[in-house]
Amino acid sequence: RKEVEQDPGPFNVPEGATVAFNCTYSNSASQSFFWYRQDCRKEPKLLMSVYSSGNEDGRFTAQLNRASQYISLLIRDSKLSDSATYLCVVALSGGYNKLIFGAGTRLAVHP
Amino acid sequence: NAGVMQNPRHLVRRRGQEARLRCSPMKGHSHVYWYRQLPEEGLKFMVYLQKENIIDESGMPKERFSAEFPKEGPSILRIQQVVRGDSAAYFCASSLSSEHTQYFGPGTRLTVL
């Protein structure tokens, strides 16, 4: 079983749509949770951290359910510029952030 | 403040040659991480280094791969006797401390012919 699992997609949505990505992780010792964005052939960039209480940053909302070991990302009012691969990332405890990446979910927003 | 720098950006090697990938962390960062991304896969942790020390190399293949982060100069990921399966994007990240956000460099794309 993969440590971090995501639906690979692609998700093809029109501009303005709301889209949700899901992610599950296998290690209950995971301490930190993130969503990264990766554009084609570029480096991953931190989109947002994910907290148990849920957090929002503009059109992006992230949720964490520790009991179910489940993380989600909701994007409202999709823009063309949101087209990218979204990476679910967890970090284990152990004194430092060793990041464990999911394989990513591809999003394509069309006019 | 320049970000994480990696060079070369693209590297082509023939089977059996050596590949050297360099990473200069962000100014003030002394923690460096190397990740590998195979085609259509997620990034996989390889090694975590601080200046002159390897802290965790649990993701490094047992043979042919080595990493260093000397007191002066960039961190180096070295792959000896490359094989086709080594073809991938290799990303370096740096952070201010072990608990701080990791910032990624643009990556080196290694192609083994």
Side-chain angles (χ1 to χ4, degrees):
Chain A
R1 183 185 172 189
K2 290 182 181 178
E3 292 182 271
V4 179
E5 296 214 52
Q6 296 182 249
D7 181 340
F11 284 59
N12 293 300
V13 303
E15 276 185 287
T18 295
V19 61
F21 303 138
N22 303 318
C23 166
T24 56
Y25 60 96
S26 61
N27 194 329
S28 58
S30 300
Q31 292 292 321
S32 305
F33 309 89
F34 312 90
W35 283 101
Y36 275 72
R37 170 192 168 131
Q38 186 175 29
D39 292 282
C40 187
R41 303 182 71 80
K42 297 279 185 70
E43 72 272 27
K45 292 186 177 177
L46 179 64
L47 181 65
M48 59 197 303
S49 300
V50 188
Y51 305 111
S52 295
S53 54
N55 47 301
E56 187 174 309
D57 183 1
R59 298 181 293 109
F60 300 84
T61 301
Q63 297 277 355
L64 166 66
N65 185 322
R66 285 186 183 267
S68 304
Q69 295 179 202
Y70 171 92
I71 307 164
S72 65
L73 177 68
L74 184 76
I75 305 176
R76 291 182 298 279
D77 189 22
S78 298
K79 311 291 185 192
L80 294 175
S81 57
D82 293 334
S83 297
T85 296
Y86 290 83
L87 307 173
C88 178
V89 183
V90 305
L92 302 177
S93 59
Y96 72 95
N97 274 347
K98 173 181 173 178
L99 301 180
I100 311 295
F101 284 80
T105 299
R106 281 194 296 156
L107 172 66
V109 182
H110 57 84
Chain B
N1 188 9
V4 178
M5 298 173 68
Q6 291 187 248
N7 68 81
R9 296 290 304 278
H10 301 274
L11 183 60
V12 179
R13 286 286 177 267
R14 296 191 181 280
R15 279 179 297 171
Q17 291 184 319
E18 178 179 287
R20 280 186 180 235
L21 288 61
R22 294 175 205 77
C23 170
S24 296
M26 286 179 70
K27 187 176 180 181
H29 287 192
S30 59
H31 299 249
V32 166
Y33 312 78
W34 285 92
Y35 295 83
R36 176 167 66 174
Q37 186 173 32
L38 295 170
E40 305 301 322
E41 292 190 15
L43 280 75
K44 296 286 193 292
F45 168 81
M46 298 182 75
V47 61
Y48 163 45
L49 311 101
Q50 294 180 28
K51 284 284 187 181
E52 300 184 276
N53 287 305
I54 296 174
I55 307 302
D56 181 352
E57 57 181 348
S58 58
M60 289 277 270
K62 294 289 184 287
E63 297 177 347
R64 302 187 297 108
F65 284 71
S66 63
E68 63 176 6
F69 189 16
K71 186 176 180 180
E72 301 291 336
S75 175
I76 306 287
L77 180 67
R78 182 183 178 204
I79 311 172
Q80 295 178 289
Q81 299 175 322
V82 295
V83 302
R84 288 220 175 109
D86 296 333
S87 295
Y90 291 83
F91 290 99
C92 165
S94 75
S95 65
L96 192 60
S97 77
S98 61
E99 297 296 323
H100 280 78
T101 299
Q102 293 178 32
Y103 296 90
F104 284 81
T108 294
R109 297 195 178 275
L110 173 65
T111 301
V112 180
L113 302 177

